Amino acid sequence: MSVGKTILLCDDEPAILKAAEFKLRGAGFRVITAGDGEAAWEAACRDCPDLIISDYQMPRLDGIGLLRKLRADERFAGLPVIMLTAKGLELDKRMLQETLGVVDVMVKPFSPREILARAKALLEVETPA
Amino acid sequence: MTLIEQGPHLMSSVGSLWGMWSGTPSSSITGGGLLWLAASTAVILSATAAAWLVYAVMRRRERRLADCLADLVAAGEHGEEDRDFAVRASIGEPFDSVLIALARRLSDAAAATSQRAELHTALEIKYGRLTAELAGLKKVLDLVPDPILICDAAQNVSFANRSARRLFAMDSDSAEGRALGTILRAESLWELLSAMLRRKNAVEQGTAWECETADGTKRSFQIHLYRSSLQDDPTGADEEKAFNVIVFRDMAALCDLRRRHAEFVSSVSHEMKTPLSAIRAYVELLADGEGNDEETRDEFLAIIDAQTTRLQRLIENLLNLARIEAGIIKVNKEPQSLNDLLEEAARVVEPQAGLKQITLRRELSPLYLPVLADKDLLLQAAINLLSNAVKYTPDGGTVTLRSRLDDDSVLFEVADTGVGLTPEDCERIFERFYRVDRNKDMASGTGLGLPLAKHIVEDVHRGKMSVASRLGEGSTFRVLLPRASHQTVPAAG
């Protein structure tokens, strides 16, 4: 059951935040949201999420900055992070995965269904039959 | 025989006369005869003296003339012919013929001298013109932003333009005549260039070379080598006259253009994918039956609608910007009343201001302000400015639209009591897709409205758009347009 698992969603587009939040919450996850990397860092410190789904391009602190900050803190060293981005080929996926430990890179436009499936798989939640 | 040689003979004849007189016995001479003899003697003596005088004077003149001729010849300025005059005069040729020949010779010489003087003047003019032309060409080369070096076949630099002198840290005087190898300052460049020069191709293009200048800036060049000879000689006999023009094409502008293009594509992609992403997500949620109640469904549909509008506006702005920049849009400039145009723009934005209880104040000039403008485009620019002001002014604020005459220009201003901009924002606010992060929540935008307005004002209407702002106090966007001449002002009505 997904109850009790917390997901931190981070994106500067309210419409996108809302769609992902709606889907994940509907599946029983506890969802917290942040509008930029700095707010996400504060939320992570406060709520210790089990998974972070973050945008790449954001004001104040972008996705890379947020990841660096997280990986530098031992509390979040093993925390799974999914990167959700509008960037395409120009993105250095290897660097994201190998250096910053991003478990998955999802490209916008995204499907809420896919996000939910990835979140469930990562948090080893059994899909109800 | 000349007088010079006649002189001694004259003397001897006078001498024999004297001998005759002194040798004659006195007895054979009467008293009257004595008187005659005395008179004749006096006459002969006077004649002799006179002859001596004439001889002496002529002799002196002759000597002077001979001296002059000798001087003339000694001056060395003249040829064989002139020496010949001196010789001819000295060997006793009749003086008049020598003088006539000399006069003819002098007149010929004068003619030749004047011809030479004409030629000299013509050459001087030509030389002056060529010198000026060369200086002009050097100046032109100095204006070329790409560094250019010209060197001869022996690889001595004969010219370095200003950019080249700056790149290789040389004075204008120190460049010429120096060996190419000594000025380059970089081993790698010398290796590159000497290899290019060795190959002796007429043209060598596009060898890349990067360097770091004294202040640490990285510069990248493409080196082009053009080899040429002064006379196009296929036999190669003029090998030593060949010269090489080395052009260092600065790649900074091209690199910058590529970088900006990549940034632009990336921004467009991001700006398009964001609303598209939202649309897809909400359509999927609705299809999955996630929105159970009508309220949620309506909310999702409203979001889809808003994001579709956003996408549509972005595409329109992008296309308009591209069309104007490419000159595809037909610009139709006609005399307009600026005040009428601003009034129309204000009416368009009024409902948007009303929603936020923002007062749209008009302070338009009572004068008729004529502008030569494309009405649709300038109206679009004014609407973009007004709508922008309304977007970034908190509820209940004021947006003021002003116009006035300003010397040879007309100007209008859109001033708001909004959130304001930092100096850094002011510098970048007209860049495509630049949006102030901290204000993104206030309103949706494409980051293209202001660049488009600036483009319409400056590139289409030869005007000027600027912004003055203080963070937290508001911003004023000012547009200066050339005032249309009185001839183009339409009749009032």
Side-chain angles (χ1 to χ4, degrees), chain B residues 23-40:
Chain B
T24 306
S26 56
S27 57
S28 62
I29 296 160
T30 60
L34 213 82
L35 198 71
W36 178 87
L37 188 70
S40 339

PDB file of all heavy atoms in Angstrom, chain B residues 23-40:
ATOM      1  N   GLY B  23     114.889 104.007 -88.849  1.00  0.00           N
ATOM      2  CA  GLY B  23     116.025 103.692 -89.713  1.00  0.00           C
ATOM      3  C   GLY B  23     116.165 104.658 -90.896  1.00  0.00           C
ATOM      4  O   GLY B  23     117.156 104.639 -91.625  1.00  0.00           O
ATOM      5  N   THR B  24     115.283 105.598 -91.092  1.00  0.00           N
ATOM      6  CA  THR B  24     115.295 106.492 -92.243  1.00  0.00           C
ATOM      7  C   THR B  24     116.235 107.673 -91.951  1.00  0.00           C
ATOM      8  O   THR B  24     116.114 108.320 -90.905  1.00  0.00           O
ATOM      9  CB  THR B  24     113.878 107.030 -92.506  1.00  0.00           C
ATOM     10  OG1 THR B  24     113.018 105.924 -92.613  1.00  0.00           O
ATOM     11  CG2 THR B  24     113.815 107.844 -93.777  1.00  0.00           C
ATOM     12  N   PRO B  25     117.184 107.995 -92.856  1.00  0.00           N
ATOM     13  CA  PRO B  25     118.107 109.122 -92.592  1.00  0.00           C
ATOM     14  C   PRO B  25     117.379 110.463 -92.569  1.00  0.00           C
ATOM     15  O   PRO B  25     116.465 110.685 -93.362  1.00  0.00           O
ATOM     16  CB  PRO B  25     119.089 109.069 -93.765  1.00  0.00           C
ATOM     17  CG  PRO B  25     118.528 108.114 -94.776  1.00  0.00           C
ATOM     18  CD  PRO B  25     117.506 107.334 -94.161  1.00  0.00           C
ATOM     19  N   SER B  26     117.812 111.360 -91.623  1.00  0.00           N
ATOM     20  CA  SER B  26     117.096 112.611 -91.397  1.00  0.00           C
ATOM     21  C   SER B  26     117.340 113.629 -92.497  1.00  0.00           C
ATOM     22  O   SER B  26     116.543 114.526 -92.731  1.00  0.00           O
ATOM     23  CB  SER B  26     117.473 113.196 -90.010  1.00  0.00           C
ATOM     24  OG  SER B  26     118.855 113.347 -89.936  1.00  0.00           O
ATOM     25  N   SER B  27     118.460 113.456 -93.198  1.00  0.00           N
ATOM     26  CA  SER B  27     118.802 114.407 -94.232  1.00  0.00           C
ATOM     27  C   SER B  27     117.794 114.412 -95.374  1.00  0.00           C
ATOM     28  O   SER B  27     117.527 115.443 -95.968  1.00  0.00           O
ATOM     29  CB  SER B  27     120.207 114.096 -94.767  1.00  0.00           C
ATOM     30  OG  SER B  27     120.249 112.766 -95.236  1.00  0.00           O
ATOM     31  N   SER B  28     117.247 113.259 -95.662  1.00  0.00           N
ATOM     32  CA  SER B  28     116.292 113.148 -96.775  1.00  0.00           C
ATOM     33  C   SER B  28     114.907 113.684 -96.439  1.00  0.00           C
ATOM     34  O   SER B  28     114.009 113.625 -97.229  1.00  0.00           O
ATOM     35  CB  SER B  28     116.171 111.700 -97.252  1.00  0.00           C
ATOM     36  OG  SER B  28     115.682 110.890 -96.239  1.00  0.00           O
ATOM     37  N   ILE B  29     114.843 114.217 -95.285  1.00  0.00           N
ATOM     38  CA  ILE B  29     113.506 114.628 -94.844  1.00  0.00           C
ATOM     39  C   ILE B  29     113.450 116.143 -94.747  1.00  0.00           C
ATOM     40  O   ILE B  29     114.300 116.758 -94.106  1.00  0.00           O
ATOM     41  CB  ILE B  29     113.180 113.991 -93.495  1.00  0.00           C
ATOM     42  CG1 ILE B  29     113.119 112.466 -93.679  1.00  0.00           C
ATOM     43  CG2 ILE B  29     111.830 114.487 -92.952  1.00  0.00           C
ATOM     44  CD1 ILE B  29     113.275 111.743 -92.416  1.00  0.00           C
ATOM     45  N   THR B  30     112.396 116.708 -95.325  1.00  0.00           N
ATOM     46  CA  THR B  30     112.225 118.154 -95.307  1.00  0.00           C
ATOM     47  C   THR B  30     111.533 118.568 -94.014  1.00  0.00           C
ATOM     48  O   THR B  30     111.058 117.718 -93.251  1.00  0.00           O
ATOM     49  CB  THR B  30     111.369 118.589 -96.497  1.00  0.00           C
ATOM     50  OG1 THR B  30     110.098 117.966 -96.400  1.00  0.00           O
ATOM     51  CG2 THR B  30     112.039 118.281 -97.813  1.00  0.00           C
ATOM     52  N   GLY B  31     111.416 119.960 -93.791  1.00  0.00           N
ATOM     53  CA  GLY B  31     110.699 120.463 -92.579  1.00  0.00           C
ATOM     54  C   GLY B  31     109.243 120.054 -92.622  1.00  0.00           C
ATOM     55  O   GLY B  31     108.694 119.560 -91.651  1.00  0.00           O
ATOM     56  N   GLY B  32     108.577 120.286 -93.826  1.00  0.00           N
ATOM     57  CA  GLY B  32     107.132 119.871 -93.955  1.00  0.00           C
ATOM     58  C   GLY B  32     107.010 118.381 -93.811  1.00  0.00           C
ATOM     59  O   GLY B  32     106.111 117.877 -93.171  1.00  0.00           O
ATOM     60  N   GLY B  33     107.967 117.719 -94.385  1.00  0.00           N
ATOM     61  CA  GLY B  33     107.955 116.234 -94.266  1.00  0.00           C
ATOM     62  C   GLY B  33     108.086 115.820 -92.827  1.00  0.00           C
ATOM     63  O   GLY B  33     107.451 114.884 -92.388  1.00  0.00           O
ATOM     64  N   LEU B  34     108.830 116.616 -92.112  1.00  0.00           N
ATOM     65  CA  LEU B  34     109.026 116.300 -90.691  1.00  0.00           C
ATOM     66  C   LEU B  34     107.705 116.397 -89.932  1.00  0.00           C
ATOM     67  O   LEU B  34     107.370 115.549 -89.106  1.00  0.00           O
ATOM     68  CB  LEU B  34     110.054 117.273 -90.078  1.00  0.00           C
ATOM     69  CG  LEU B  34     110.918 116.655 -88.979  1.00  0.00           C
ATOM     70  CD1 LEU B  34     112.076 115.885 -89.635  1.00  0.00           C
ATOM     71  CD2 LEU B  34     111.490 117.763 -88.101  1.00  0.00           C
ATOM     72  N   LEU B  35     107.011 117.479 -90.277  1.00  0.00           N
ATOM     73  CA  LEU B  35     105.682 117.681 -89.631  1.00  0.00           C
ATOM     74  C   LEU B  35     104.736 116.522 -89.964  1.00  0.00           C
ATOM     75  O   LEU B  35     104.026 115.971 -89.135  1.00  0.00           O
ATOM     76  CB  LEU B  35     105.109 119.006 -90.124  1.00  0.00           C
ATOM     77  CG  LEU B  35     103.972 119.594 -89.277  1.00  0.00           C
ATOM     78  CD1 LEU B  35     104.530 120.094 -87.950  1.00  0.00           C
ATOM     79  CD2 LEU B  35     103.308 120.752 -90.044  1.00  0.00           C
ATOM     80  N   TRP B  36     104.771 116.118 -91.238  1.00  0.00           N
ATOM     81  CA  TRP B  36     103.910 115.001 -91.685  1.00  0.00           C
ATOM     82  C   TRP B  36     104.272 113.708 -90.961  1.00  0.00           C
ATOM     83  O   TRP B  36     103.423 112.973 -90.507  1.00  0.00           O
ATOM     84  CB  TRP B  36     104.096 114.843 -93.190  1.00  0.00           C
ATOM     85  CG  TRP B  36     103.281 113.706 -93.698  1.00  0.00           C
ATOM     86  CD1 TRP B  36     102.026 113.751 -94.075  1.00  0.00           C
ATOM     87  CD2 TRP B  36     103.754 112.379 -93.892  1.00  0.00           C
ATOM     88  NE1 TRP B  36     101.600 112.544 -94.507  1.00  0.00           N
ATOM     89  CE2 TRP B  36     102.683 111.640 -94.393  1.00  0.00           C
ATOM     90  CE3 TRP B  36     105.005 111.717 -93.687  1.00  0.00           C
ATOM     91  CZ2 TRP B  36     102.791 110.306 -94.737  1.00  0.00           C
ATOM     92  CZ3 TRP B  36     105.062 110.386 -94.031  1.00  0.00           C
ATOM     93  CH2 TRP B  36     103.982 109.687 -94.538  1.00  0.00           C
ATOM     94  N   LEU B  37     105.635 113.613 -90.851  1.00  0.00           N
ATOM     95  CA  LEU B  37     106.120 112.392 -90.199  1.00  0.00           C
ATOM     96  C   LEU B  37     105.642 112.314 -88.742  1.00  0.00           C
ATOM     97  O   LEU B  37     105.169 111.284 -88.297  1.00  0.00           O
ATOM     98  CB  LEU B  37     107.657 112.359 -90.249  1.00  0.00           C
ATOM     99  CG  LEU B  37     108.292 111.048 -89.775  1.00  0.00           C
ATOM    100  CD1 LEU B  37     108.013 109.926 -90.791  1.00  0.00           C
ATOM    101  CD2 LEU B  37     109.806 111.229 -89.646  1.00  0.00           C
ATOM    102  N   ALA B  38     105.729 113.514 -88.074  1.00  0.00           N
ATOM    103  CA  ALA B  38     105.280 113.560 -86.659  1.00  0.00           C
ATOM    104  C   ALA B  38     103.802 113.213 -86.547  1.00  0.00           C
ATOM    105  O   ALA B  38     103.383 112.445 -85.678  1.00  0.00           O
ATOM    106  CB  ALA B  38     105.564 114.956 -86.085  1.00  0.00           C
ATOM    107  N   ALA B  39     103.029 113.820 -87.491  1.00  0.00           N
ATOM    108  CA  ALA B  39     101.559 113.571 -87.466  1.00  0.00           C
ATOM    109  C   ALA B  39     101.266 112.096 -87.721  1.00  0.00           C
ATOM    110  O   ALA B  39     100.465 111.480 -87.009  1.00  0.00           O
ATOM    111  CB  ALA B  39     100.898 114.463 -88.540  1.00  0.00           C
ATOM    112  N   SER B  40     101.961 111.548 -88.747  1.00  0.00           N
ATOM    113  CA  SER B  40     101.689 110.142 -89.072  1.00  0.00           C
ATOM    114  C   SER B  40     102.082 109.251 -87.900  1.00  0.00           C
ATOM    115  O   SER B  40     101.368 108.302 -87.569  1.00  0.00           O
ATOM    116  CB  SER B  40     102.473 109.655 -90.298  1.00  0.00           C
ATOM    117  OG  SER B  40     102.901 110.675 -91.117  1.00  0.00           O
TER     118      SER B  40
END
